């Protein structure tokens, strides 16, 4: 059954204090690394979304016991019985990552170091995404990975690994993490050069587990393992709220007149807060309170109020620090006075879908003229949007961006194929409704 989301023009302000579900990047990493620890890990507020549930299922298929306490539909507490770095069991079937690029790329790094063969596969959408970016460095480390044209399925065979010095040509946390995680099983030191501040959750979590990963300038260094190999200490972690999910209500409140909302305990890791800088550059009113460190990550409460926005340009490191938020930021640009422009964002073209051309095509249906460039886009606002029928193309972030755009149109908006929103944000519609947003599910 395909789910559709009906959005009506928002005539009243959005108001309230909300929390959004746990961080997707941290949730993937936590369950993977906890399964390899020596001992039992506790992971609170873990995100039960489509992408991370695929990773959890894979970890269970690798023989790891996980007890699940379902605190709510959007936050689970996991108790993971780690089996040590070499304790995974041979899977009896291909491992299905569904739509999750992070799941596939990070698991490829870990599976490359195992003493058994495994196949990583995923949805039709994931089978289209580039995997050469991890196959190449992992092969350089000695991994044996068979694929057709650098796409999933990936057949990984056991082979000894050695550390390498790898220069990434795009600032990708997934590539960096795949190499570092394979490095746990490699002889010698592993060094990764990053051309921009890719998110550093893998490094922080490994440090918390007793592996002294270091950062020196643009290099991330995993030292050679001690005699007998690395031992990972179990995790005791509360997953911060995902800043990438917070971005949707944040932008909604910034563009719906007279709104004011607060989102509590949001992850504010500097590699993830590009969206705050992008919104501030447009004149959005954002304030942070209760900033504190928990589990090695900075958290805080975020209040945003509606204000008249003006255009801004985004490029370079801000793009890396907010790559997943550019679709929802583009919705803010439709309400901002002047020409807003994004460059250095060619990576958007290899996400769940080509997020530049698909977004331009779908927003056009709502009256937005978004001009595409090879590495970005521009929008000349403010624009009067009209309602219409749009499609998520099975991309969760596009589905939510189009839903938020629907709030500032002058007609009904129907977002087709919107069930994918649960890939990262279960409870999105309930949460938006709790702020007073005019949106509801319709099933066909
Ligand atoms: C992620 C890294 C980013 C991001 C993705 C999650 C991660 O991808 O777009 O949604 O958890 O490592 P890249 O590292 O490929 O830029």
């Amino acid at each position: 059954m395909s789910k559709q989301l009906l959005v009506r023009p928002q005539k009243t302000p959005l108001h309230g204090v909300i929390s959004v579900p746990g961080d997707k990047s941290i949730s993937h990493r936590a369950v993977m690394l906890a399964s390899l620890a020596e001992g039992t890990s506790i992971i609170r507020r873990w995100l039960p979304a489509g992408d991370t549930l695929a990773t959890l299922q894979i970890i269970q298929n690798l023989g790891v016991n996980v007890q699940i306490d379902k605190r709510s539909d959007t936050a689970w507490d996991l108790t993971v019985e780690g089996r040590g770095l070499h304790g995974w069991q041979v899977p009896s079937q291909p491992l299905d990552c569904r739509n999750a690029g992070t799941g596939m790329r990070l698991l490829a790094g870990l599976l490359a170091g195992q003493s058994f063969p495994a196949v990583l596969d995923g949805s039709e959408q994931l089978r289209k995404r580039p995997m050469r970016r991890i196959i190449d460095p992992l092969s350089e480390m000695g991994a044996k990975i068979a694929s057709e044209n650098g796409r999933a399925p990936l057949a990984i065979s056991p082979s000894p690994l050695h550390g390498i010095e790898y220069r990434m040509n795009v600032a990708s946390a997934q590539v960096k993490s795949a190499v570092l995680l394979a490095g746990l099983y490699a002889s010698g030191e592993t060094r990764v050069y990053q051309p921009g501040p890719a998110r550093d959750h893998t490094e922080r979590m490994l440090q918390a587990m007793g592996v002294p990963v270091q950062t020196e300038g643009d290099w991330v260094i995993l030292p050679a393992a001690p005699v007998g190999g690395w031992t990972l200490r179990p995790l005791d972690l509360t997953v911060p709220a995902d800043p990438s999910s917070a971005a949707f209500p944040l932008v909604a409140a910034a563009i719906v007149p007279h709104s004011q909302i607060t989102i509590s305990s949001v992850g504010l890791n500097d590699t993830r807060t590009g969206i705050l800088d992008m919104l501030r550059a447009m004149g959005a009113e954002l304030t942070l309170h209760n900033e504190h460190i928990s589990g090695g990550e900075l958290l805080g409460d975020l209040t945003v109020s509606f204000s008249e926005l003006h255009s801004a340009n985004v490029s370079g490191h801000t793009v890396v620090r907010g790559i997943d938020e550019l679709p929802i930021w583009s919705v803010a640009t439709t309400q901002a006075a002047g020409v807003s422009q994004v460059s250095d964002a060619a990576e958007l073209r290899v996400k769940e879908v080509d997020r530049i051309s698909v977004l331009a095509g779908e927003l056009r249906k709502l009256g937005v003229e978004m001009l595409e460039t090879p590495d970005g886009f521009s929008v000349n606002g403010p624009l009067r949007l009209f309602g219409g029928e749009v499609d998520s193309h099975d991309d969760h972030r596009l589905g939510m961006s189009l839903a938020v755009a629907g709030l500032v149109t002058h007609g009904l908006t129907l977002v087709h194929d919107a069930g994918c929103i649960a890939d990262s944000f279960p409870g999105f519609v309930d949460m938006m409704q709790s702020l007073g947003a005019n949106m509801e599910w319709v099933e066909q």
Side-chain angles (χ1 to χ4, degrees):
M1 189 160 33
S2 100
K3 274 175 114 180
Q4 304 179 6
L5 191 49
L6 179 65
V7 187
R8 295 190 171 83
Q10 186 68 31
K11 303 240 165 67
T12 52
L14 303 176
H15 271 300
V17 180
I18 50 164
S19 50
V20 299
D23 190 280
K24 181 157 81 70
S25 293
I26 294 177
S27 293
H28 276 298
R29 287 160 172 79
V31 75
M32 288 178 199
L33 288 176
S35 78
L36 299 166
E38 298 285 339
T40 301
S41 293
I42 311 285
I43 308 167
R44 291 175 218 85
R45 271 185 60 91
W46 186 81
L47 169 73
D51 282 10
T52 46
L53 285 169
T55 291
L56 174 60
Q57 181 66 62
I58 288 174
I59 292 303
Q60 290 173 315
N61 291 348
L62 290 163
V64 180
N65 274 331
V66 182
Q67 280 109 51
I68 302 172
D69 178 358
K70 298 185 181 176
R71 281 164 54 144
S72 74
D73 292 344
T74 58
W76 290 2
D77 288 351
L78 305 185
T79 304
V80 182
E81 292 175 25
R83 297 178 60 93
L85 267 190
H86 299 278
W88 280 354
Q89 288 171 2
V90 188
S92 54
Q93 55 199 8
L95 301 167
D96 183 3
C97 300
R98 300 190 209 161
N99 272 350
T102 306
M104 178 166 284
R105 295 193 176 114
L106 272 57
L107 284 165
L110 291 170
L111 287 165
Q114 306 302 316
S115 57
F116 54 79
V119 175
L120 280 171
D121 204 352
S123 64
E124 281 308 310
Q125 185 190 76
L126 186 54
R127 282 179 168 205
K128 292 191 189 122
R129 295 184 64 186
M131 292 297 148
R132 194 79 77 197
R133 52 179 57 199
I134 52 141
I135 296 175
D136 287 348
L138 293 176
S139 304
E140 215 181 295
M141 296 176 82
K144 287 215 163 67
I145 304 179
S147 75
E148 220 168 277
N149 299 321
R151 305 275 191 244
L154 307 178
I156 304 176
S157 315
S159 177
L161 304 182
H162 53 82
I164 56 168
E165 184 169 298
Y166 188 66
R167 284 176 181 268
M168 295 193 290
N169 48 20
V170 289
S172 164
Q174 296 179 353
V175 174
K176 171 174 64 172
S177 301
V179 173
L180 291 174
L181 294 176
L184 291 174
Y185 294 89
S187 59
E189 186 181 76
T190 301
R191 298 169 67 90
V192 185
Y193 169 81
Q194 45 179 0
R199 65 195 67 190
D200 61 359
H201 306 300
T202 303
E203 296 92 301
R204 284 172 190 269
M205 206 173 283
L206 285 173
Q207 281 159 359
M209 299 179 91
V211 179
V213 180
Q214 297 141 29
T215 303
E216 283 174 18
D218 297 329
W219 287 90
V220 181
I221 301 152
L222 172 65
V227 179
W230 292 111
T231 305
L232 302 188
R233 284 200 300 263
L235 284 171
D236 183 345
L237 177 78
T238 301
V239 179
D242 197 326
S244 300
S245 296
F248 298 99
L250 200 62
V251 168
I255 61 177
V256 170
H258 313 300
S259 298
Q260 186 179 68
I261 67 163
T262 296
I263 314 176
S264 32
S265 293
V266 181
L268 296 173
N269 177 315
D270 194 52
T271 61
R272 300 290 300 282
T273 48
I275 182 66
L276 305 187
D277 297 346
M278 294 182 216
L279 287 171
R280 283 197 180 108
M282 300 173 103
E285 260 184 58
L286 292 175
T287 45
L288 289 173
H289 353 243
N290 297 331
E291 284 174 75
H292 62 282
I293 305 271
S294 170
E297 297 276 357
L298 181 64
L299 311 185
D301 300 342
L302 199 51
T303 297
V304 59
S305 312
F306 167 79
S307 47
E308 299 288 338
L309 301 179
H310 53 77
S311 62
N313 292 339
V314 172
S315 61
H317 285 185
T318 311
V319 165
V320 179
R321 294 170 49 244
I323 188 75
D324 291 340
E325 289 65 72
L326 288 167
I328 185 61
W329 186 73
S330 77
V331 174
T333 67
T334 69
Q335 305 304 301
V339 179
S340 295
Q341 187 140 20
V342 175
S343 48
D344 302 328
E347 276 293 292
L348 283 178
R349 295 199 180 273
V350 291
K351 294 297 177 188
E352 277 76 344
V353 296
D354 176 339
R355 282 183 174 161
I356 299 177
S357 70
V358 172
L359 193 62
E362 294 305 314
L363 283 177
R364 190 165 300 126
K365 297 177 186 167
L366 301 179
V368 177
E369 196 55 48
M370 176 187 263
L371 299 179
E372 280 191 53
T373 60
D375 69 343
F377 56 83
S378 64
V379 174
N380 188 357
L383 297 169
R384 188 180 157 83
L385 273 56
F386 39 82
E389 297 201 21
V390 288
D391 200 298
S392 75
H393 293 244
D394 202 21
D395 181 323
H396 50 125
R397 298 200 202 283
L398 296 194
M400 289 184 274
S401 300
L402 293 166
V404 171
L407 295 173
V408 290
T409 62
H410 293 266
L412 291 186
T413 302
L414 193 59
V415 185
H416 289 277
D417 200 10
C420 60
I421 287 173
D423 282 355
S424 65
F425 199 154
F428 167 73
V429 174
D430 292 348
M431 183 275 307
M432 291 299 293
Q433 285 171 347
S434 77
L435 295 173
N438 271 325
M439 57 175 75
E440 65 194 82
W441 288 113
V442 281
E443 297 204 0
Q444 284 204 334

